[in-house]
Amino acid sequence: MNLITIFEMINKSTNVIGKWLFSIAGGILAIFEPIQAFIFVCGLAIIGDLYTSIKLGMRVSKQHPDKASGKIQSSKIRNSMTTLLIVLFALYFAWQVDVSILCDSALYATKVTAGIFCFSQIWSMLENESSFSNKKWAKILQKIMIDK
């Protein structure tokens, strides 16, 4: 075997591996296609919560440098990615309930699941924005929400 034959074998095997990987990725994307709009909206809610959480950390670090660093932490991003995976599978499960058990094309379980999740994320965003804030609307929100 010469060097050119080895390179040809490597090229053929990477083509086969690439085809398999893209086939698997396409299959996974096809599974979640019916709920992509819900995933997008819930993903935006997660990003919004992460953003307000980072802003809260910066506000806390200005007022109390010993309590927070004010920098983006990998644990916050990891928690957001974990939340995204949980929501992804919860939405898929709700969609399966709609299609397989309820046999309804209106997607009620999926809408309720996405709505509950988005409500909890918006609540968290409001908590983040009202914490360590002296604004009037923040003081009103602090009466009914926790101060992080």
Side-chain angles (χ1 to χ4, degrees), residues 111-123:
K111 289 177 182 176
V112 169
T113 303
I116 290 171
F117 172 75
C118 286
F119 176 78
S120 70
Q121 290 298 303
I122 290 169
W123 188 272

Side-chain angles (χ1 to χ4, degrees), residues 37-54:
F38 299 110
I39 294 170
F40 180 74
V41 171
C42 292
L44 286 178
I46 292 171
I47 291 169
D49 187 35
L50 178 64
Y51 174 72
T52 58
S53 173
I54 291 168

Side-chain angles (χ1 to χ4, degrees), residues 19-67:
K19 287 178 184 178
W20 277 96
L21 289 177
F22 278 108
S23 297
I24 291 170
I28 291 170
L29 288 175
I31 288 172
F32 294 110
E33 190 274 330
I35 55 172
Q36 66 184 353
F38 299 110
I39 294 170
F40 180 74
V41 171
C42 292
L44 286 178
I46 292 171
I47 291 169
D49 187 35
L50 178 64
Y51 174 72
T52 58
S53 173
I54 291 168
K55 280 179 52 179
L56 173 62
M58 290 178 184
R59 281 196 310 272
V60 171
S61 71
K62 287 180 184 175
Q63 293 178 7
H64 305 284
D66 55 323
K67 290 186 179 180

